[in-house]
């Protein structure tokens, strides 16, 4: 895809729209005249004429082309992106269910509209202004309502803690995260673990010095249950002894892969008062599990659920993925019904995100994996209908680039079982302080919409060898909070 821009500054927005309609044709931005044959192309132009602005879009798919032009009284991002969206939709015959939205947090945008105009008018603006379908608008609105209690319950000094365990038994074919499979990274586990405990200690001191109040803890990955039972007990104990838990309402450990779950590990989590775990099958089809490189079976998931239930865990999440290779609508329906039968209190339905670094893409190619757009949409529609029917409510939602069917990831929960951490991190309504490799601390100014990020090193080896820098970066948390508070006065 060749994108030519003239007389305007909205390159980022225009590039994202081109990717929306041509997700597997890399966007090349060129100031020269675009080619008119062969590959897809678009020319986006704004010209000022006698105090008005003429917006023009020319676009082609290699076989046919069209031109659209409008005159507006002012220069604005929405004017040109709206025109480009409508031109590409007409050219391709494709109307994305999420319209022209390309950002990660559609519900956050809906919240802004609702606060500005009221819920009903805000939802209508969200639908019409962004070309979002009524079905996705309704889903976003239900999610907004589902997370309202968690958002309204926050104080200005509240924060959540995220702890990263970037190790997995094996690397899934769809995975693009910087996680290490245990075959190659086992020697890193012990030094990583010891340095992680140090970072947690440093973070606790920073939070205490600032007078911050812990509301949620989430240990994610990777697969945290690649740790031993003793390490899990030690890690959770370190967090409990380091932070004040008087206002902390939840402590989640993403147990994840059923082939890493043992009675000893679950007992270690119970002994430390863990209130929520995840057991994530992704699918209950053995063939699809083999396709994505998982070493466990669907029966392993069933047994892990039964074990956790028998030991007293009541709040258990299960992840499923729409669009996995070799999956179809009937198989996916079986997976949804299966996790409901197991008694999952939360079900998170992800759309397969086809990242270029994932082995699934390099082995099979983008177009082959993206071909079943209508079937993946049918899978997602089934999950929405089935979970709603079973009494689950959507409470967090986010989107990623290059998702199968251009769909969404949605967390569903039975009433009273929502994971508030998921709301906090997706709505970006309070600070999340992260520890461990790949962790991103996001500090929310409680007095404005300002959000500041502090990044840890992604690779576990780099985290280990440059850990001193990680600890120094925790001091930046203090400096940024001082800025937030100074602006209040």
């Amino acid at each position: 895809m060749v994108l030519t821009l003239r007389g305007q500054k909205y390159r980022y927005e225009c590039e994202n729209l081109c990717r929306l309609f041509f997700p597997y044709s890399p966007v090349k931005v060129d100031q020269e005249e675009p080619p008119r044959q062969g590959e897809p192309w678009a020319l986006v132009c704004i010209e000022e004429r006698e105090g008005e602005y003429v917006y023009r879009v020319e676009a082609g798919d290699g076989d046919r082309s069209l031109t659209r032009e409008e005159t507006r009284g002012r220069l604005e991002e929405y004017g040109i992106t709206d025109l480009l969206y409508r031109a590409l939709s007409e050219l391709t015959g494709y109307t994305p269910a999420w319209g022209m939205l390309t950002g990660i947090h559609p519900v956050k945008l809906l919240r802004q509209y609702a606060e500005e105009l009221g819920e009903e008018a805000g939802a209508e603006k969200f639908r019409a202004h962004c070309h979002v379908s009524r079905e996705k608008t309704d889903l976003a609105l239900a999610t907004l309502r589902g997370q309202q209690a968690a958002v309204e319950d926050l104080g200005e000094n509240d924060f959540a803690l995220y702890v990263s365990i970037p190790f997995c038994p094996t690397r899934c074919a769809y995975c693009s995260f910087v996680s290490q499979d245990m075959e190659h990274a086992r020697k890193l586990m012990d030094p990583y673990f010891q340095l992680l405990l140090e970072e947690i200690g440093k973070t606790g001191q920073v939070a205490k010095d600032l007078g911050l109040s812990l509301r949620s803890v989430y240990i994610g990955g990777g697969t945290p249950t690649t740790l031993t039972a003793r390490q899990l007990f030690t890690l959770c104990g370190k967090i409990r002894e380091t932070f004040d838990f008087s206002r902390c309402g939840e402590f989640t450990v993403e147990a994840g892969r059923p082939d890493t779950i043992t009675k000893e590990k679950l007992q270690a989590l119970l002994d430390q008062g863990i209130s929520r775990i995840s057991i994530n099958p992704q699918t209950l089809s053995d063939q699809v599990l083999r396709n994505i490189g998982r070493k466990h079976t669907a029966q392993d998931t069933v047994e892990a659920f039964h074990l956790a239930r028998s030991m007293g865990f009541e709040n258990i999440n299960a992840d499923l993925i729409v669009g996995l290779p070799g999956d179809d609508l009937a198989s996916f329906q079986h997976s949804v019904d299966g996790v409901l039968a197991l008694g999952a209190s939360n079900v998170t339905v992800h759309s397969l995100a086809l990242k270029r670094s994932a082995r699934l893409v390099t082995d099979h190619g983008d177009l082959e994996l993206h071909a079943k757009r209508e079937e993946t949409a049918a899978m997602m529609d089934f999950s929405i209908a089935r979970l709603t029917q079973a009494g689950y409510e959507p409470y967090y939602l986010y989107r990623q680039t290059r998702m199968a069917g251009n769909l969404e990831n949605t967390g569903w929960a039975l009433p009273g079982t929502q994971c508030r951490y998921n709301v906090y991190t997706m709505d970006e309504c309070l600070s999340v302080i992260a520890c461990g490799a790949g962790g991103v601390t996001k500090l929310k100014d409680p007095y404005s919409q300002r959000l500041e990020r502090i990044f840890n090193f992604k690779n576990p080896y780099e985290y280990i060898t440059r850990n001193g820098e990680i600890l120094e970066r925790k001091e930046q948390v203090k400096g940024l909070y001082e800025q937030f508070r100074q602006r209040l006065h």
Side-chain angles (χ1 to χ4, degrees):
M1 175 80 188
V2 177
L3 172 64
T4 301
L5 305 174
R6 291 179 184 166
Q8 53 102 350
K9 56 183 179 180
Y10 305 117
R11 169 174 174 163
Y12 175 78
E13 295 81 2
C14 292
E15 280 189 78
N16 281 342
L17 280 176
C18 290
R19 291 190 185 96
L20 182 62
F21 289 93
F22 299 97
Y24 305 111
S25 179
V27 179
K28 297 176 288 186
V29 179
D30 197 336
Q31 299 304 318
E32 301 299 324
E33 191 72 17
R36 306 289 170 160
Q37 293 181 346
E39 62 184 314
W41 60 272
L43 170 64
V44 182
C45 178
I46 302 178
E47 297 177 350
E48 185 176 2
R49 300 177 188 171
E50 299 179 354
E52 293 188 314
Y53 293 90
V54 178
Y55 295 74
R56 188 173 83 257
V57 169
E58 301 175 20
D61 60 8
D63 294 320
R64 57 185 291 264
S65 63
L66 55 78
T67 300
R68 296 292 178 266
E69 184 172 292
E70 291 181 356
T71 300
R72 294 176 178 255
R74 58 177 178 164
L75 183 65
E76 57 177 1
E77 172 196 327
Y78 174 76
I80 194 63
T81 53
D82 177 65
L83 187 61
L84 177 60
Y85 169 83
R86 288 186 282 119
L88 293 177
S89 181
E90 182 178 348
L91 178 71
T92 61
Y94 173 47
T95 303
W98 285 99
M100 61 190 294
L101 294 181
T102 58
I104 296 173
H105 308 288
V107 179
K108 184 179 178 182
L109 177 63
L110 175 58
R111 180 185 300 282
Q112 293 172 5
Y113 288 166
E115 290 175 350
E116 173 191 353
L117 302 170
E119 188 176 275
E120 184 176 345
E124 180 56 26
K125 179 179 179 180
F126 180 81
R127 185 193 67 79
H129 188 74
C130 303
H131 303 282
V132 180
S133 72
R134 290 196 179 276
E135 292 77 11
K136 297 306 182 187
T137 300
D138 290 344
L139 177 62
L141 186 58
T143 305
L144 179 67
R145 292 168 177 165
Q147 62 184 220
Q148 199 69 26
V151 173
E152 292 178 347
D153 187 41
L154 296 173
E156 64 183 28
N157 292 317
D158 289 348
F159 81 104
L161 177 69
Y162 177 80
V163 177
S164 169
I165 306 297
F167 302 99
C168 284
T170 59
R171 189 176 181 88
C172 294
Y174 56 77
C175 183
S176 64
F177 290 109
V178 183
S179 57
Q180 303 289 310
D181 67 83
M182 291 306 296
E183 180 180 350
H184 298 93
R186 193 173 302 278
K187 64 182 180 181
L188 299 177
M189 178 70 85
D190 287 342
Y192 177 88
F193 184 75
Q194 294 303 319
L195 292 171
L196 178 63
L197 297 180
E198 289 187 29
E199 186 185 4
I200 290 169
K202 175 68 174 181
T203 301
Q205 187 59 55
V206 168
K208 182 178 180 180
D209 292 345
L210 289 169
L212 302 182
S213 180
L214 182 65
R215 300 302 305 273
S216 174
V217 179
Y218 193 103
I219 302 178
T223 305
T225 41
T226 51
L227 297 176
T228 66
R230 179 179 293 276
Q231 286 173 323
L232 285 169
F233 184 85
T234 300
L235 175 62
C236 296
K238 176 68 173 181
I239 293 170
R240 284 201 174 276
E241 72 183 32
T242 300
F243 295 91
D244 179 3
F245 269 69
S246 60
R247 296 187 69 234
C248 183
E250 63 180 21
F251 195 150
T252 295
V253 175
E254 191 177 310
R257 301 270 286 265
D259 48 333
T260 66
I261 296 172
T262 65
K263 184 176 182 179
E264 292 74 21
K265 293 178 183 181
L266 291 177
Q267 189 62 54
L269 298 180
L270 279 175
D271 291 344
Q272 290 292 0
I274 302 306
S275 57
R276 180 179 180 272
I277 62 172
S278 292
I279 300 174
N280 299 331
Q282 317 304 5
T283 175
L284 292 179
S285 163
D286 286 340
Q287 182 57 57
V288 177
L289 286 170
R290 287 191 289 271
N291 291 347
I292 63 175
R294 288 277 183 125
K295 301 301 183 183
H296 65 85
T297 65
Q299 184 60 31
D300 291 333
T301 298
V302 172
E303 292 174 1
F305 255 93
H306 289 331
L307 176 62
R309 284 283 184 205
S310 70
M311 294 179 67
F313 285 99
E314 297 180 354
N315 197 353
I316 305 176
N317 173 76
D319 280 5
L320 296 174
I321 298 180
V322 163
L324 290 172
D327 208 4
D328 57 25
L329 179 57
S331 172
F332 180 75
Q333 290 172 337
H334 169 75
S335 295
V336 174
D337 289 338
V339 297
L340 294 184
L342 289 172
S345 53
N346 299 176
V347 179
T348 306
V349 182
H350 295 269
S351 298
L352 179 65
L354 301 176
K355 304 300 185 183
R356 292 196 177 278
S357 59
R359 178 167 56 83
L360 195 61
V361 172
T362 58
D363 287 354
H364 295 275
D366 295 334
L367 295 176
E368 175 187 344
L369 296 172
H370 196 66
K372 298 183 178 180
R373 178 182 283 166
E374 291 184 2
E375 187 167 35
T376 56
M379 292 179 186
M380 186 61 76
D381 289 344
F382 171 81
S383 72
I384 293 171
R386 183 70 179 89
L387 291 165
T388 300
Q389 178 191 45
Y392 292 74
E393 300 170 349
Y395 74 99
Y396 82 102
L397 183 154
Y398 68 103
R399 304 185 66 237
Q400 297 167 272
T401 57
R402 305 176 76 246
M403 297 178 79
N406 191 41
L407 296 169
E408 69 277 346
N409 303 322
T410 307
W412 297 79
L414 292 172
T417 69
Q418 293 91 341
C419 175
R420 291 197 166 195
Y421 172 83
N422 288 329
V423 175
Y424 300 153
T425 190
M426 289 304 155
D427 196 71
E428 298 180 328
C429 53
L430 93 167
S431 294
V432 176
I433 302 180
C435 296
V440 180
T441 292
K442 296 192 290 186
L443 301 182
K444 171 69 171 62
D445 182 352
Y447 316 111
S448 73
Q449 295 301 313
R450 181 182 174 190
L451 195 71
E452 296 287 348
R453 291 174 171 82
I454 301 171
F455 296 87
N456 280 7
F457 297 117
K458 290 184 177 181
N459 187 281
Y461 177 78
E462 195 172 16
Y463 177 89
I464 293 168
T465 57
R466 301 176 66 181
N467 193 257
E469 295 175 54
I470 296 288
L471 300 181
E472 290 175 5
R473 291 179 187 183
K474 284 293 179 285
E475 288 295 325
Q476 296 178 30
V477 175
K478 286 186 180 181
L480 287 167
Y481 261 94
E482 289 171 1
Q483 290 181 29
F484 298 159
R485 291 166 177 173
Q486 285 174 0
R487 291 175 61 241
L488 175 64
H489 304 293

